[in-house]
Amino acid sequence: MQVKVVKFGGSSLADAEHFKQVASIIQADPSRRYVVPSAPGKRFKDDIKVTDMLYACYEKIRKHENIDELYEQIKARYNGIIAELGLNFDISGELEYVKNAMMHRSGRDYAASRGEYLNGLILAKYLGYSFVDAENVIFFRENGTFDEEKTNQVLSEELSQHETAVIPGFYGVMPNGTIKTFSRGGSDITGSIVARAAEADLYENWTDVSGFMMADPRIVDNPCAIQTITYRELRELSYMGATVLHEDAIFPVRYAGIPINIRNTNAPEDAGTMIVAETPDYDTEKVITGVAGKKGFSVITIEKDMMNSEIGFGRKVLEVLEENEISFEHLPSGIDNMSIVISTDELEGRREKIVSSINRRVKPDHVSVEDNLALLAVVGRAMVKAKGTAARVFDSISGAGVNIRMIDQGSSEISIIVGVEAHEFNKALEAIYKEFVK
Ligand code: ASP
C-alpha cells in the first residue's frame, strides 16, 4: 500500500469545522497514515493565530506582566475545538502544565511550539491515531542546525512502530533537551522530514489555496493554478516572492525524490499543484510555468572604456561589496559597463561609501546608483525548447508601454529576469501573464 504524509496548515485547523473537514480528507484515503498539524490559525481576517498569542505570552512573562487573560483566550481556542467536536478529552492538565512551564522560563521556542503540540494531541485523539511528540524524533545540533541523519534514523524507526500517527509540526529538540522551533511556517519542513523518514510515495501539503498560481492573484485577476512544477522552477518563483510553501521544506523530500502535492482543504476536489524533481511534460500552450516578481531593488552601474579587457575589473568591484557584507542579486554586464542589482535595503547608510570605494578601486569613467527597480522572473522549463519566448516577454512589456531597464537570462534557461520601474511593476506582470495565458 502507498504511504502518504499529510500536513495541514493553521487555517486548515483553525476551528472544529475545519477539524471535521481534515478528518474526512484523511479518512477518504487509507494511505494518509502520517499527519503533521500546525497550530490553530486565523478563523477570520482580524483573528490572531495561536502561535502569535503564545509569542505574546512569552513577551509578557519576560516583562513580568500577567498572562492570565491572554492565556484564557488560548485555552478557549482549544477547549472550544474539543467541545464542538464532541470529544471526550480533558486537556486542562496539559494546558496548566504548559502555562506553568512558560512562567518558569522554558524559552521563547518552547512557548511557540505548544501551539502545534496541543493541536496534535487533539487531532490524534479525534482521528484515533498515535501521538508521536516531535520532541522525541526531530533533532537539532549544538549549533542550532537541523540534524537530518539522526532525525531520519530515529524517526523512521519510530514511525515503523505505528500504523498511523500524528506528529506535531514546527519544533524539535536541542542536544540539551530544550525545545527549538524552525523559522515561521516551519511545519512545512516537519512534513517534509516525516515524508522522507516514512519513505512516503507522496507528501501532501494541505493549505487554503488550490496550489501555486501562475501569477499573484492580487495583481492578476483569477490566475490559473500551476499543475506541475519542478523543484528548480519553484525555487525561482519562491525567491521572487511567490509563497505557499516554506523554502526549506523542499530539501528533505527533494533528496529522497518524493513529490509534494499542494492541496486546498476547503476544496479537496481540486488537484492542486504537483512539485516534482524532473518531468518531461510541460504545458505546450502556455510555455511558461509562472511569473513572479518583487520591488525594492537598486542598480549600481559602472562604466569604463575598454573595461572588457581590464583583467580583474569584476573581481575588484565585487570585493567592495564583499568588504561591506553586501550580497548581490544579479550581475548583467556589457562590454564597457557592468551593473549590479542589489536589494535597496542592503545599501541603507552605505551608499556613499560604496560608490567612493568603487571609484578608488577601479577608477571608472562613471558610477551611478538608481533605486526603485522591480524585478520580474518569467519561469518555465519549456522555455529552452520554445523559440521566441524572450521576444514575447519583451514585446508584451513594451506593448504595455513599460520601459525595460534590465534583462538577465541565466544559462540554465529556465528563467528570464526583467527589471522595470517599480511603479510599472503590476502593468508589466499583467502584460506577461496575458501574453502567455490566453
Ligand atoms: N505555527 C507556526 C507559525 O505560525 C508554524 C506553522 O504554522 O507552520 O509560524
Side-chain angles (χ1 to χ4, degrees):
M1 187 176 69
Q2 276 210 335
V3 177
K4 289 180 188 160
V5 169
V6 286
K7 180 259 168 180
F8 290 89
S11 57
S12 302
L13 291 166
D15 52 28
E17 271 325 298
H18 277 93
F19 263 71
K20 289 180 191 164
Q21 178 71 353
V22 162
S24 80
I25 290 170
I26 294 170
Q27 283 150 6
D29 181 349
S31 63
R32 293 181 175 135
R33 287 172 50 195
Y34 301 114
V35 183
V36 176
S38 281
K42 293 184 182 198
R43 294 160 293 182
F44 42 86
K45 192 170 159 278
D46 293 322
D47 198 13
I48 306 174
K49 285 177 162 197
V50 167
T51 309
D52 290 318
M53 294 202 265
L54 289 162
Y55 277 124
C57 280
Y58 172 79
E59 286 308 322
K60 275 183 179 288
I61 293 168
R62 216 170 53 85
K63 292 187 221 144
H64 305 287
E65 289 171 15
N66 185 292
I67 62 162
D68 289 353
E69 210 184 304
L70 184 55
Y71 201 70
E72 280 308 312
Q73 291 174 29
I74 296 175
K75 278 162 77 173
R77 293 283 307 254
Y78 289 112
N79 284 325
I81 292 172
I82 293 172
E84 277 178 60
L85 291 176
L87 260 188
N88 180 15
F89 182 40
D90 184 2
I91 203 171
S92 52
E94 287 285 349
L95 285 164
E96 274 323 297
Y97 182 91
V98 167
K99 184 177 180 191
N100 253 314
M102 287 202 302
M103 309 268 278
H104 290 91
R105 307 203 150 248
S106 347
R108 188 170 185 267
D109 283 13
Y110 172 81
S113 72
R114 296 304 90 181
E116 270 69 11
Y117 171 78
L118 294 164
N119 228 21
L121 287 177
I122 299 173
L123 188 61
K125 184 81 186 170
Y126 187 50
L127 295 170
Y129 278 24
S130 314
F131 176 77
V132 172
D133 193 346
E135 172 176 352
N136 301 321
V137 289
I138 306 268
F139 301 97
F140 291 93
R141 300 187 191 91
E142 204 77 63
N143 64 5
T145 55
F146 170 59
D147 190 340
E148 54 275 315
E149 290 323 315
K150 180 171 177 192
T151 299
N152 198 47
Q153 199 188 340
V154 176
L155 181 56
S156 48
E157 170 60 31
E158 181 64 35
L159 294 179
S160 70
Q161 317 281 321
H162 306 273
E163 190 54 30
T164 54
V166 171
I167 308 97
F170 193 37
Y171 69 92
V173 70
M174 291 289 288
N176 67 3
T178 56
I179 296 290
K180 178 172 166 57
T181 65
F182 292 107
S183 56
R184 294 300 303 264
S187 298
D188 284 345
I189 308 174
T190 310
S192 182
I193 293 165
V194 173
R196 179 186 167 202
E199 293 180 18
D201 299 281
L202 185 65
Y203 169 25
E204 287 179 345
N205 188 296
W206 291 81
T207 174
D208 53 6
V209 288
S210 294
F212 279 91
M213 299 296 128
M214 287 188 69
D216 187 339
R218 288 166 301 188
I219 302 173
V220 170
D221 209 21
N222 208 5
C224 296
I226 300 173
Q227 282 170 6
T228 308
I229 185 167
T230 64
Y231 297 127
R232 271 179 57 219
E233 289 174 313
L234 182 65
R235 271 278 295 149
E236 301 264 351
L237 288 175
S238 315
Y239 162 78
M240 280 296 182
T243 49
V244 171
L245 188 72
H246 193 297
E247 241 194 320
D248 295 343
I250 292 177
F251 301 106
V253 282
R254 182 176 189 170
Y255 181 79
I258 301 166
I260 308 175
N261 189 192
I262 306 287
R263 300 285 294 265
N264 188 349
T265 303
N266 304 319
E269 60 289 353
D270 290 355
T273 300
M274 272 303 232
I275 309 167
V276 298
E278 285 302 331
T279 167
D281 305 334
Y282 57 87
D283 191 328
T284 39
E285 224 170 84
K286 297 196 184 85
V287 178
I288 67 167
T289 304
V291 50
K294 266 204 292 207
K295 294 179 187 171
F297 294 98
S298 299
V299 53
I300 305 177
T301 305
I302 306 151
E303 287 168 12
K304 188 173 187 184
D305 267 350
M306 307 297 287
M307 181 187 112
N308 65 329
S309 56
E310 190 176 320
I311 289 167
F313 188 93
R315 176 182 53 77
K316 288 177 201 156
V317 171
L318 295 183
E319 257 171 18
V320 172
L321 299 186
E322 193 178 348
E323 284 157 16
N324 285 280
E325 291 180 5
I326 290 179
S327 70
F328 68 90
E329 311 289 328
H330 295 279
L331 203 66
S333 49
I335 313 171
D336 290 332
N337 61 65
M338 167 177 178
S339 313
I340 311 165
V341 179
I342 294 173
S343 165
T344 307
D345 296 341
E346 296 252 21
L347 285 176
E348 194 64 42
R350 306 188 269 193
R351 214 171 266 261
E352 314 302 321
K353 187 174 165 218
I354 288 161
V355 171
S356 54
S357 300
I358 292 175
N359 271 323
R360 242 180 298 123
R361 202 70 64 89
V362 292
K363 309 206 166 23
D365 300 331
H366 184 70
V367 187
S368 62
V369 184
E370 280 176 89
D371 297 329
N372 298 320
L373 184 76
L375 296 182
L376 289 138
V378 187
V379 177
R381 58 193 177 280
M383 289 178 358
V384 190
K385 298 168 195 117
K387 287 199 186 83
T389 310
R392 287 175 69 190
V393 170
F394 307 141
D395 283 353
S396 60
I397 298 175
S398 53
V402 175
N403 183 26
I404 299 178
R405 295 260 310 273
M406 183 211 94
I407 297 167
D408 197 8
Q409 178 171 29
S411 48
S412 68
E413 285 192 63
I414 71 156
S415 73
I416 296 172
I417 313 279
V418 184
V420 299
E421 293 279 348
H423 72 272
E424 295 188 309
F425 172 73
N426 288 11
K427 232 201 239 175
L429 195 135
E430 272 180 309
I432 297 170
Y433 182 83
K434 278 208 196 98
E435 167 63 32
F436 290 93
V437 187
K438 297 289 183 277

